[in-house]
Amino acid sequence: GKNSYQLFSHEMHKSLMDRLKIEADLREAIRLGDQFVLYYQPQIDSENDHIVGYEALLRWNHPTRGLLAPIDFLAIAESSGLIIPIGEWALYEACSKAKQIHIADANFQRMAVNLSALQFNHANILDHVKSALTETGLPPNLLELEITESAIISNVDEAIALLFKLKELGVKLAIDDFGTGYSSLNYLKSFPIDTLKIDKSFIDEIVNNQKDAAIARTIVQLALNLELSTIAEGVEYIEQHDLLKAMGCTNLQGYLYSKPLPPEMV
Ligand code: C2E
Ligand code: CA
Ligand code: CA
Ligand code: CA
């Protein structure tokens, strides 16, 4: 009826204003340059539970709303294109932190950094990665770029060419959220990938749901046969840890080991 239409339109207006406000605040944050922070979540070796790497996860210290997670702003950063400068900053920041950790810890194997589809398909991504590595002096094999299936699938031929150029720099490549996108076994054959990251949605019920367990086990076996490593995300319980370890999953990440940590704690 008429009233509900008005309510709807009012909410549409409000959410549009929210969006515009967040976008304006994001622009200001980029201009000021000191509101973004990377948190680091440990990744462990399932053999011995040692921390072997970290995933860098973006946070925004908003002047009035406090610390925001990607759910609160990433979609707007993407649709506005602002993820390009933010992502360039994150790449540099993560490499710089990784260089510090590398100097202090001989067992450190990787800093994983998320690339959104827009970043991956942006013309200058190769240059951004190159300069982050040279400016920080991080050995390239310590950087792992996490890319989703959908980022690759949007333009397969260009994606393959880019993945090979990134490999030439010496960085590692992981498929993030593996199994949730338009997975094709064909690309596992042709793409120079190092790691499959098993999505949390398969991990959540892995102990009680036989189908989830079968999918996770199959991904691990597939990776073993292709000589890729595997990492499971969202591990929260020791039973999930035990099962994934028994399956042969190489690395594990989740609240069981640690939440993402602020930079001063890493
Ligand atoms: P993702 O890459 O799938 O990252 C995993 C998310 O799961 C993170 O959320 C992490 O904090 C959370 N997580 C880790 N372990 C557990 C667990 O045991 N239980 C539960 N419930 N959650 C867990 P976060 O940090 O909020 O990031 C959300 C998404 O935002 C990421 O999903 C990634 O797609 C994106 N993102 C984060 N940082 C960046 C970035 O620097 N650049 C880009 N382009 N995207 C980013
Ligand atoms: Ca990720
Ligand atoms: Ca993921
Ligand atoms: Ca995920």
Side-chain angles (χ1 to χ4, degrees), residues 55 57 114 146 176-177 197 233:
E55 179 179 15
L57 293 159
N114 292 284
E146 295 195 357
D176 203 356
D177 303 337
K197 192 157 192 180
E233 63 177 18

Side-chain angles (χ1 to χ4, degrees), residues 6 11 16 26 33 39 44 71 77 82 84 90-91 104 121-122 146 179 187 190 196 244 254 257-259 265:
Q6 280 188 340
E11 290 194 340
L16 180 65
L26 274 174
Y39 274 44
I44 68 135
I71 181 100
L82 294 173
I84 300 297
L91 205 48
N121 292 302
H122 185 261
E146 295 195 357
Y187 74 55
S190 39
L196 301 183
L244 285 157
Y257 317 101
S258 172
K259 292 204 166 182
M265 287 183 64

Side-chain angles (χ1 to χ4, degrees), residues 26 29-30 36-38 40 56-59 73-74 77-78 80-96 112-120 122 124-133 143-146:
L26 274 174
I30 291 165
F36 297 107
V37 192
L38 291 180
Y40 299 96
L57 293 159
L58 186 63
R59 300 290 181 266
F73 64 90
L74 198 65
E78 297 244 341
S80 60
L82 294 173
I83 190 63
I84 300 297
I86 299 170
E88 194 178 354
W89 169 84
L91 205 48
Y92 178 87
E93 185 70 13
C95 289
S96 164
V113 178
N114 292 284
L115 288 190
S116 71
L118 195 72
Q119 284 174 277
F120 182 71
H122 185 261
N124 288 332
I125 183 63
L126 197 65
D127 290 336
H128 292 174
V129 174
K130 251 188 234 170
S131 32
L133 290 169
L143 175 64
E144 183 162 87
L145 300 174
E146 295 195 357

